[in-house]
Amino acid sequence: MATFFKDAINPSQATPKSPKRKHLRSPAGKNSLRRVAVEAQRSRDGKEIRSTPSDASQSTTKTVTAYCAAEQYDISHVAKILKGAGYHLDPYETGLYPQVVHTEILNNTPSQRTEDARPFTGDVFIFPSGTVVAWDVPESTMSFLVGRSLLPAAQHPHPDQIEEEDLEYTEDPNRDVSAIRGDTIVIGTKTQPSDFLSPTKPSADADTRNIDTVLAKIAFSSGLARSTKLAVLETLLSSYLNSTSSIPRLLSIGGRLPFTRPFILQKTGQLLSLRAQLNLYSELTDSLPDLFWDSPHEKGLEGYYDMVGRALDTNVRIKVLNEKMDYAQEIASVLRQQLSERHGVRLEWIIILLITVEVGFAIRQEVKEWRERQGPAGA
């Protein structure tokens, strides 16, 4: 792999700056995907996840983390930034660019080293949807990469409110296919002689990895990125509903809604933006993203993508999110109706005022004419 760009991945060597605050939905928010996966699996199987022994549980457990720090990424700009920082793009020549940008990062964390203490690489996948998925990469490295290095390529970034979710995964050298077991992704790393990559590939552990493993990670990463992007919209919608929670109560007691025209227009625009991000401008509702249609390696990858969706109940969450948006749409309709009524009442008062002025002028004219008629008569 290309030499790691030290200033870009080692925040301790960079110019000291005040740390950016990262937004987590709750103290346990970072592990919400794990909890969702466990509950979803238990609801289907009707039993505890750990009741089924697995060889994968005997392996070293690592972490895959998904980050969402922007609405979208300009992938060509992302590639330019990473190349300038010394990263090697698409090291396994998957040919999936620009649907995803893949690079490797050297992991020197002592606690994450193998038994022979060799440094190894973690995978990073960057998607146009504004999400980044890292496999076994130190959190400090990813915080710097996502929160600072990639910001110039972000469209509508929110670096102070980065959504961060993670799952555990393990690599099983005895499996040639991957799967999800409860709250853990099991990556099958069993290789065939024909699958081995050339030793000239820039990887420190190329003798134990093959392109199928990388493609499986891309498929799982796409599903995780979708779930994390969905979590951002869930957070935004929750904030929206909190800001309008007083409206039903005020209506129930017959109170007047004390909202201005700018507030009503702002809330209407926010809701339309959320609905567009969910249903129009992203692949959240697509059964299969373009990544798998355009890729020459699509065979079998959609199965891994569907596994993540089922494990994290993504389709159910999208349905619930749309139902909540329908409720929010009703509130927005009430606000727009009030705005229309206010406008109508204002127009009525303007008309009444104009009629009053016209009547006043008419009376004044009549009085003036009456006085003129009385003048000659009195003389």
Side-chain angles (χ1 to χ4, degrees), residues 148-159:
R148 293 181 59 183
S149 299
L150 295 179
L151 278 184
Q155 299 177 9
H156 305 292
H158 40 86

Side-chain angles (χ1 to χ4, degrees), residues 297-368:
H297 307 286
E298 74 276 12
K299 186 176 180 180
L301 296 185
E302 63 271 18
Y304 298 148
Y305 177 81
D306 289 338
M307 284 182 192
V308 177
R310 290 194 300 269
L312 303 180
D313 285 337
T314 303
N315 290 332
V316 175
R317 291 163 60 195
I318 290 175
K319 180 181 178 181
V320 171
L321 194 61
N322 269 315
E323 290 175 350
K324 289 183 178 181
M325 286 187 179
D326 289 338
Y327 169 74
Q329 182 64 43
E330 294 180 5
I331 294 180
S333 298
V334 171
L335 292 177
R336 289 195 301 271
Q337 182 179 359
Q338 185 198 35
L339 183 62
S340 178
E341 289 178 354
R342 284 183 181 178
H343 184 65
V345 170
R346 187 177 295 108
L347 289 178
E348 290 176 358
W349 277 109
I350 291 174
I351 293 173
I352 291 173
L353 179 61
L354 291 175
I355 293 174
T356 302
V357 171
E358 184 179 358
V359 171
F361 277 111
I363 294 176
R364 181 175 178 275
Q365 183 66 26
E366 289 292 333
V367 171
K368 182 179 179 180

Side-chain angles (χ1 to χ4, degrees), residues 189-203:
T189 59
K190 184 177 181 181
T191 58
Q192 302 296 331
S194 59
D195 293 330
F196 283 117
L197 295 172
S198 170
T200 61
K201 293 294 179 185
S203 174

